[in-house]
Amino acid sequence: MKADGKNHLKTAWLSDIHLGNKDCKANYLLDFLDNHQIDRLYLVGDIIDMWAMSKQFRWPDSHNQVLHKIWQISQDETEVIYLPGNHDEPLQKYSGMSFGHIQVARECIHTTEKGQKLLVLHGDQFDEQVCFGPIHAWIGDKAYDLLLFINRWFNQIRKLRKKPYWSLAGHIKSHIKSANVAIERYKKACCARALENRLDGVVCGHIHHPEISHVDGIDYFNDGDWIENCSALTEDNQGNLNLVFWTHTQGEAELFNINKPSTKLKEVHTGSEAA
């Protein structure tokens, strides 16, 4: 813990923030960023939802604050690497360039404090290997929109009852067989790419399913999203990797540790209440 009250992180991975989308949980993300001092921040794709904004432009002040916060920390204290995904695809052409102090890359390799080499990429590179076809993809998109609609109203009711945010959409998805099959295909495709490059693991996003697991000898880390789960992957000074779920009031976070993947750990951070 630093003197200013912020928790120090060696590295953080954030993806699928979807700024410009009505389901983006920008206030939770602002609370997370305000409560941490981060040495290196990876923005692992779909940070700005250009797809959603092409249908209906929506840019509330909280979304602007997120971009301003990321830009600010990139100037002051944090190395920021932006790896564009499919929803911010136009930025992929700037791979290898920088905007101010923010580097842009399609893929990169991160070495942890323990010497573990991890491939970092959004994950849309594997869509052809995972997708069941255009009809299934269309049905999947419509079904997901419905899940987010239900999730939105469900959590409005929870908020009125002064209960913390909970991802009903994620809970429902976990019980859909075809979704689980697609997730397994995706994990195998990501890990195969890391294995081909003789790396120890892979960090990705894309499918809005935060997870730490071990597949075919490769460590698989999905940092989740800020549409459903409000999750981040973090590395501490010792090189320990954790999934953080920043969805409780007063910055209370649930953590899952790579060294104890079946054990839920809890850590409390002070911070303003996210809405």
Side-chain angles (χ1 to χ4, degrees):
M1 180 77 75
K2 293 177 70 66
D4 59 7
K6 292 185 179 182
N7 291 276
H8 177 259
L9 294 173
K10 193 72 178 175
T11 316
W13 291 263
L14 303 171
S15 76
D16 299 274
I17 298 170
H18 290 276
L19 295 170
N21 187 301
K22 60 187 173 184
D23 288 294
C24 169
K25 305 297 186 295
N27 286 329
Y28 284 111
L29 179 54
L30 281 169
D31 191 57
F32 173 82
L33 293 172
D34 284 341
N35 277 278
H36 292 89
Q37 191 271 316
I38 305 167
D39 291 345
R40 178 179 291 169
L41 173 63
Y42 289 97
L43 301 171
V44 194
D46 287 3
I47 305 307
I48 301 173
D49 196 334
M50 296 179 180
W51 290 10
M53 289 195 294
S54 68
K55 298 175 183 176
Q56 181 181 7
F57 185 81
R58 184 180 185 277
W59 196 262
D61 186 57
S62 59
H63 294 205
N64 202 51
Q65 288 179 47
V66 168
L67 277 189
H68 180 75
K69 180 69 176 182
I70 292 171
W71 182 263
Q72 176 190 345
I73 64 175
S74 76
Q75 306 297 308
D76 298 337
E77 60 196 22
T78 305
E79 179 186 2
V80 179
I81 301 97
Y82 189 162
L83 300 97
N86 51 313
H87 283 256
D88 43 18
E89 182 180 6
L91 298 177
Q92 292 179 11
K93 64 185 178 183
Y94 298 107
S95 180
M97 300 174 63
S98 297
F99 293 97
H101 293 274
I102 299 178
Q103 305 166 50
V104 181
R106 185 64 170 135
E107 301 180 14
C108 63
I109 296 173
H110 173 80
T111 303
T112 71
E113 288 298 294
K114 292 184 176 180
Q116 189 177 25
K117 293 187 178 297
L118 306 174
L119 175 66
V120 185
L121 75 176
H122 179 64
D124 58 301
Q125 291 92 333
F126 310 113
D127 280 354
E128 290 187 4
Q129 296 170 247
V130 175
C131 189
F132 293 97
I135 294 177
H136 285 87
W138 183 84
I139 293 173
D141 285 343
K142 297 303 179 184
Y144 188 57
D145 287 343
L146 176 60
L147 277 181
L148 291 179
F149 174 81
I150 295 170
N151 191 69
R152 197 180 313 132
W153 284 101
F154 172 78
N155 276 289
Q156 285 291 341
I157 294 170
R158 285 180 65 85
K159 186 176 179 181
L160 289 172
R161 294 180 176 179
K162 301 188 183 303
K163 292 185 177 181
Y165 174 86
W166 183 70
S167 178
L168 176 64
H171 176 75
I172 294 173
K173 277 198 311 182
S174 68
H175 291 82
I176 299 175
K177 182 178 179 181
S178 60
N180 289 319
V181 170
I183 288 170
E184 289 304 311
R185 287 185 181 180
Y186 177 77
K187 287 164 57 176
K188 286 184 175 294
C190 289
C191 291
R193 173 70 67 86
L195 187 62
E196 288 171 8
N197 288 278
R198 298 183 179 181
L199 301 172
D200 302 304
V202 58
V203 179
C204 56
H206 191 42
I207 60 172
H208 298 199
H209 186 76
E211 182 180 348
I212 293 175
S213 58
H214 198 69
V215 181
D216 299 329
I218 298 294
D219 286 325
Y220 170 84
F221 304 92
N222 193 303
D223 59 27
D225 65 281
W226 293 82
I227 287 280
E228 300 173 42
N229 299 287
C230 300
S231 56
L233 181 70
T234 65
E235 178 188 6
D236 63 20
N237 288 326
Q238 289 71 48
N240 298 310
L241 300 179
N242 298 282
L243 268 177
V244 180
F245 293 81
W246 203 260
T247 55
H248 288 223
T249 57
Q250 298 301 325
E252 182 179 306
E254 292 180 345
L255 274 70
F256 293 85
N257 186 279
I258 178 57
N259 299 313
K260 299 179 180 179
S262 62
T263 304
K264 184 184 291 188
L265 305 176
K266 186 172 276 191
E267 179 176 296
V268 177
H269 302 268
T270 57
S272 60
E273 182 172 343

